Amino acid sequence: MVQDPRETQLELAPKNRVAIFYENGGPDKISIKDIDNVKQSELNPGEVLVRVLFTGVCHSDLHALQGDWPFPPKLPLIGGHEGAGIVVALGQGASEYVQVGDRVGIKWIADACLNCEYCRLSHEINCPQYKPSGYAVDGTFQQYVRHTARYLTKIPDGLELSQAASILCAGVTIYRALKEASLQPGNWVVIPGSGGGLGHLGVQYARNAGLRVIGIDTGSEKQTMSQQLGCEVFIDFKTTSDVATAIKDATGGIGAHAAVVAAASPAAYELALDYIRPRGTLVIVGMPNSILPVSIFKTVLMTHKIVGSAVGNRQDAVEALEIAARGMVKVHFTLKGLSDLPSVFEDMIQGRIAGRIVLDVDK
């Protein structure tokens, strides 16, 4: 592992470089500016200050910018929730969880009560008090993040921070979704968007679990990536006249055991119900603001299962990072600077991104 020399620079700068927006809209609403940094004396008990070095860019960040989910984000907002960096300051009691100099990751869940039934069962995403990072609280599109110590995830020494960033949401999310499918080694799983940010990681986590993977995407670049990462079958949805039949043909005529759909396309969910086999599972991950029409008769007859899956819990994050640290999963990303965030969102809107985008917050 090549260590970033900034990992040893633990002093607090007086200014904090941020990407912030004051109203919802398009990429033109983002401002890159310097604001006063948090002082250690201002940290609440249990809080830390994390010097973020790298952050991924997730489709959820675009939803936060556009404000198109049913529940609006706070404004003004510093978005982002895939941050990897170094602890540089501790509030009272935070040393129970981390120490200055620890390499840590910031995830979608910034905090939860840890005391309700959902939290006790490790379903923090369902906690009534959970707070999403980069949505309800300021996130990782900045150099310094004030964060609850107990919800940081330590990053294994063998994993570069630039690699870890996208694992902290995209990797954890798709890793958990595969768990929700309740598959066995040798089962077929379809991953629409197999050349995209979540999808290309899903292909690798699925292969690591011994699953047989069918990728759906479009274009030669995404086909090459999908096949190199482990898709036995790749289907280009733009050039294949009947995607469902092609999947059934590839799986002995009866369909896949599961579809894990991370695409933000309603059509991808409707199609999945046509190519999963009897007793198959549709795992809903992507979050278009739309309705999924489901035939009650067909669902009962085929005994299909439809499962919603949000982000993983704290243990899922540890497991997903450890798998990546062992070299079993690699994030394919393009490195850009924080100043490039508006153009990154524009590329995301236009569907031009293969793999993942990671930002160096100092550039």
Side-chain angles (χ1 to χ4, degrees):
M1 183 190 73
V2 179
Q3 187 181 41
D4 191 304
R6 293 173 295 175
E7 292 186 30
T8 60
Q9 299 172 8
L10 304 179
E11 71 278 2
L12 273 65
K15 293 292 183 177
N16 181 18
R17 187 165 183 258
V18 307
I20 189 170
F21 58 89
Y22 296 89
E23 58 181 304
N24 293 121
D28 61 315
K29 300 297 183 182
I30 298 172
S31 299
I32 311 296
K33 60 193 301 185
D34 289 339
I35 63 174
D36 290 337
N37 201 2
V38 176
K39 298 180 175 64
Q40 182 170 0
S41 60
E42 296 173 333
L43 294 174
N44 293 322
E47 286 186 336
V48 303
L49 198 62
V50 178
R51 171 64 162 98
V52 175
L53 299 181
F54 298 97
T55 179
V57 184
C58 179
H59 209 277
S60 298
D61 299 320
L62 179 59
H63 287 298
L65 173 63
Q66 294 175 326
D68 57 1
W69 277 351
F71 51 97
K74 87 174 189 72
L75 291 174
L77 178 69
I78 300 169
H81 57 276
E82 294 184 347
I86 309 297
V87 176
V88 294
L90 302 175
Q92 182 181 358
S95 60
E96 178 181 352
Y97 304 97
V98 293
Q99 301 295 325
V100 170
D102 283 351
R103 308 166 79 245
V104 296
I106 295 169
K107 310 177 294 300
W108 174 252
I109 300 180
D111 201 7
C113 78
L114 296 187
N115 193 45
C116 68
E117 177 181 349
Y118 297 110
C119 285
R120 291 195 300 270
L121 292 170
S122 297
H123 303 313
E124 300 103 299
I125 191 66
N126 303 116
C127 172
Q129 298 182 39
Y130 108 89
K131 298 175 182 178
S133 183
Y135 205 93
V137 299
D138 287 332
T140 60
F141 293 155
Q142 56 181 326
Q143 291 175 316
Y144 292 90
V145 176
R146 187 175 186 166
H147 202 279
T148 304
R150 66 185 184 183
Y151 256 88
L152 294 170
T153 300
K154 292 185 180 181
I155 296 173
D157 290 338
L159 188 62
E160 293 182 13
L161 294 182
S162 57
Q163 277 284 323
S166 295
I167 298 294
L168 290 160
C169 178
V172 173
T173 296
I174 203 72
Y175 177 71
R176 179 68 192 192
L178 287 163
K179 281 187 174 184
E180 295 285 1
S182 300
L183 298 172
Q184 301 297 320
N187 285 173
W188 285 101
V189 61
V190 179
I191 299 182
S194 56
L198 271 73
H200 88 284
L201 295 173
V203 172
Q204 296 175 77
Y205 280 115
R207 290 288 293 168
N208 184 67
L211 304 176
R212 305 180 71 180
V213 186
I214 299 173
I216 301 177
D217 218 315
T218 189
S220 59
E221 182 180 7
K222 292 184 177 181
Q223 177 176 357
T224 298
M225 176 181 289
S226 299
Q227 292 174 330
Q228 288 178 345
L229 294 179
C231 287
E232 291 187 44
V233 179
F234 178 84
I235 296 172
D236 190 315
F237 65 83
K238 287 189 176 180
T239 60
T240 303
S241 59
D242 190 336
V243 172
T245 296
I247 291 174
K248 289 178 180 178
D249 288 345
T251 55
I254 56 176
H257 295 84
V260 176
V261 183
S265 165
Y269 292 101
E270 295 183 49
L271 179 61
L273 293 171
D274 290 332
Y275 62 67
I276 58 174
R277 65 180 59 194
R279 304 197 67 78
T281 301
L282 166 61
V283 184
I284 298 175
V285 184
M287 296 174 66
N289 188 12
S290 59
I291 302 297
L292 174 64
V294 176
S295 166
I296 296 173
F297 182 87
K298 181 181 177 182
T299 302
V300 173
L301 185 66
M302 301 288 284
T303 56
H304 282 160
K305 295 179 285 295
I306 301 176
V307 181
S309 182
V311 297
N313 58 35
R314 290 171 296 159
Q315 180 61 25
D316 293 326
V318 171
E319 294 172 5
L321 286 167
E322 287 179 346
I323 291 170
R326 296 200 305 271
M328 308 307 294
V329 169
K330 181 178 180 180
V331 182
H332 289 246
F333 67 89
T334 300
L335 184 64
K336 293 180 178 289
L338 186 65
S339 58
D340 296 316
L341 184 58
S343 64
V344 169
F345 278 136
E346 187 60 41
D347 287 342
M348 188 177 288
I349 292 169
Q350 300 300 325
R352 294 192 288 252
I353 296 175
R356 205 73 175 170
I357 298 294
V358 173
L359 306 179
D360 183 328
V361 298
D362 290 349
K363 296 182 179 179

